[in-house]
Amino acid sequence: MNAKRLTTPEENVQQLQEKLGHAAKENKKRRFHALYDKVYRLDILWEAWRRVRANRGSAGADGETLADIEKKGEMRFVLECQQLLKEGRYHPQPVRRHYIPKKDGKLRPLGIPTVRDRVIQMATKLVIEPIFEADFQDTSFGFRPKRSAKQALERIRKACNRKGNWVVDVDIQGYFDNINQEKLMKLIEMRISDRRILKLVRKWLGAGVMEEGNIRRSDLGTPQGGVISPLLANIYLNYFDHLWERHGKGLGELTRYADDLVVICKTRKDAERAYELIRAIMERLGLTLHPTKTRIVGLWTGEEGFDFLGMHHRKTKAETSKGKVYYTTQQWLGRKAEERIREVVKERLAPYSIRYATSELGRACGVPQSKDSRMAQLLLYSLQPEEDGATYRNLLF
């Protein structure tokens, strides 16, 4: 007798996604109405927990950590999530606001949802993502399965080498904080009619942010730090991708990675027209282009270049074997990416006591963090290049 092989939760998720994705591709106008019961399926929730646990991450507003859940029982936690969803008693917590310092001295805000919210968002994402994947354009690469930054960079390199001498380098001002939630919901409703799924998304959008004990809510933006936020952001900008495909394809080649995008054009006139079209579509979405960071770059002479996905892109002279000179697109690490890599390498080369002092654990244990402290002085000294040019540190830096 042939025993049927038991499938794993991961395989079950893959099978479900293939079915939903196929159905969505078969009928581009189909609206899916029976999805909520799939979100609270035990195998879906278990796979969602497995992925959230693998991503690690801190506790949210409720203070519950991954270790706490592992201690009390992982299956118990997953069953609790299932019960809350089944009975309609699930209510997301506000996102905990956390700030990290930037190079320019400013602070970058981050949002940390609770572990429970991350798991339920992941389960919802596993179910609805293949439906929207069927609609996403080939120009989009960010936060999508089987797509990567490397593919986006290769697309740009080829477009520049196909006589792409002008680039519209686009920066959307505060994209994730300025997504119009009502417009976003209308775009989601074009594919999903299940009211309970729509209600879930609305709950996450309206959960708000907790900072110093105060909760702030807004009708703009997506849940910061949420597992589902990149998918929602792609759904919103897919409207832009569609309009570009219809009205702007002849002007230049678009490459988008989340909210970062460039258009490679052959002439300056095309680049200027592309810029105006991009601005008009973004206005329809309630978004604004950054006045100084959005620019038109001429690559023809090799004097100018642009940064995208941590890489600097510029045309340089090259010669054929017969001595014929031509321009080809080169890509190398951008200044910010290079500085970040140096920081990480220096931190890892530093002695354990120095790394411990600057870690979160060290701060929690009361190790002085002031630049005037002896520990900070030792840290700064350890990062200085030694004068001997032959030292290992100077070879690296």
Side-chain angles (χ1 to χ4, degrees):
M1 184 176 70
N2 293 327
K4 187 177 180 180
R5 187 178 72 86
L6 296 175
T7 56
T8 65
E10 185 178 5
E11 289 171 332
N12 290 341
V13 168
Q14 188 175 357
Q15 289 173 8
L16 174 64
Q17 289 181 326
E18 287 174 356
K19 288 180 181 178
L20 290 171
H22 180 73
K25 286 178 182 177
E26 284 288 302
N27 186 350
K28 291 288 187 178
K29 294 184 178 180
R30 177 175 173 177
R31 298 177 72 215
F32 292 77
H33 67 277
L35 299 173
Y36 188 78
D37 60 323
K38 296 172 178 59
V39 172
Y40 64 70
R41 263 175 40 179
L42 196 59
D43 53 350
I44 301 291
L45 284 170
W46 181 259
E47 177 62 16
W49 157 250
R50 189 187 68 82
R51 296 191 186 194
V52 169
R53 182 183 58 192
N55 290 337
R56 307 309 298 171
S58 304
D62 62 356
E64 187 175 44
T65 64
L66 293 166
D68 293 335
I69 293 169
E70 290 168 351
K71 188 175 180 181
K72 78 175 184 180
E74 297 172 52
M75 182 53 73
R76 177 183 169 186
F77 169 78
V78 171
L79 288 170
E80 285 176 359
C81 292
Q82 184 185 49
Q83 198 70 17
L84 289 171
L85 288 168
K86 266 187 174 182
E87 297 175 0
R89 293 187 295 110
Y90 167 68
H91 300 287
Q93 297 289 313
V95 173
R96 178 170 70 87
R97 175 77 84 191
H98 179 69
Y99 290 94
I100 58 172
K102 294 168 66 175
K103 288 288 292 182
D104 58 6
K106 296 180 180 179
L107 296 174
R108 182 190 302 278
L110 294 179
I112 307 175
T114 65
V115 178
R116 189 183 303 278
D117 290 339
R118 298 206 293 269
V119 169
I120 294 177
Q121 284 186 22
M122 178 65 80
T124 306
K125 176 177 177 286
L126 291 174
V127 172
I128 70 172
E129 185 175 53
I131 296 170
F132 291 101
E133 271 293 320
D135 297 335
F136 290 164
Q137 301 293 305
D138 291 339
T139 55
S140 169
F141 294 87
F143 305 108
R144 293 182 58 191
K146 298 179 181 178
R147 289 188 158 248
S148 66
K150 185 177 179 181
Q151 292 171 328
L153 291 170
E154 180 63 11
R155 176 183 170 90
I156 290 172
R157 187 188 67 80
K158 288 181 178 179
C160 290
N161 284 338
R162 288 195 297 267
K163 298 183 179 179
N165 294 316
W166 293 90
V167 178
V168 185
D169 184 7
V170 179
D171 186 280
I172 304 173
Q173 200 161 9
Y175 172 61
F176 288 91
D177 293 330
N178 289 292
I179 292 175
N180 185 298
Q181 294 177 4
E182 286 305 313
K183 290 181 179 180
L184 172 62
M185 289 306 302
K186 287 180 180 178
L187 292 171
I188 295 172
E189 288 168 9
M190 290 177 70
R191 273 304 205 168
I192 295 176
S193 59
D194 189 324
R195 292 184 179 181
R196 291 177 296 177
I197 291 288
L198 297 174
K199 188 177 179 181
L200 261 185
V201 178
R202 285 191 184 277
K203 282 183 177 181
W204 289 321
L205 292 175
V209 176
M210 177 175 285
E211 188 172 0
E212 297 180 352
N214 298 316
I215 299 175
R216 179 176 57 82
R217 292 182 171 87
S218 172
D219 57 357
L220 293 175
T222 58
Q224 293 183 337
V227 174
I228 205 165
S229 291
L231 174 59
L232 298 181
N234 271 333
I235 292 170
Y236 200 65
L237 276 184
N238 189 52
Y239 177 82
F240 168 83
D241 296 342
H242 270 288
L243 287 183
W244 179 265
E245 190 71 14
R246 189 183 304 170
H247 303 292
K249 191 175 181 180
L251 298 176
E253 190 167 308
L254 169 69
T255 302
R256 182 174 69 81
Y257 192 96
D259 61 325
D260 292 327
L261 61 104
V262 293
V263 177
I264 314 297
C265 306
K266 292 184 178 180
T267 67
R268 183 177 182 88
K269 185 177 179 180
D270 284 345
E272 289 171 347
R273 289 171 62 194
Y275 174 86
E276 291 302 321
L277 179 58
I278 293 167
R279 186 175 58 80
I281 299 174
M282 291 301 177
E283 283 180 1
R284 187 178 293 187
L285 286 168
L287 300 171
T288 306
L289 300 184
H290 197 289
T292 56
K293 293 182 180 179
T294 301
R295 61 197 185 110
I296 295 176
V297 181
L299 302 178
W300 180 254
T301 61
E303 295 176 1
E304 282 188 287
F306 65 97
D307 291 338
F308 189 75
L309 296 180
M311 302 294 286
H312 185 74
H313 308 253
R314 187 182 292 258
K315 290 200 172 185
T316 58
K317 282 184 180 181
E319 281 189 22
T320 65
S321 57
K322 295 182 179 180
K324 184 178 179 180
V325 177
Y326 66 99
Y327 281 92
T328 185
T329 306
Q330 298 290 335
Q331 299 171 331
W332 58 83
L333 275 176
R335 180 179 54 81
K336 288 184 179 179
E338 188 176 345
E339 288 176 358
R340 176 59 185 150
I341 290 172
R342 289 189 178 193
E343 285 176 5
V344 171
V345 173
K346 286 177 179 179
E347 182 182 337
R348 294 187 180 183
L349 287 178
Y352 173 78
S353 59
I354 303 298
R355 285 186 280 117
Y356 173 78
T358 56
S359 68
E360 288 189 12
L361 179 61
R363 287 193 289 272
C365 293
V367 176
Q369 297 297 310
S370 168
K371 284 189 177 181
D372 295 330
S373 70
R374 177 59 180 162
M375 189 61 73
Q377 289 174 14
L378 286 172
L379 174 63
L380 293 172
Y381 177 78
S382 72
L383 301 185
Q384 296 300 316
E386 296 170 15
E387 292 188 3
D388 182 1
T391 61
Y392 176 70
R393 191 169 306 211
N394 264 0
L395 288 174
L396 277 176
F397 306 111

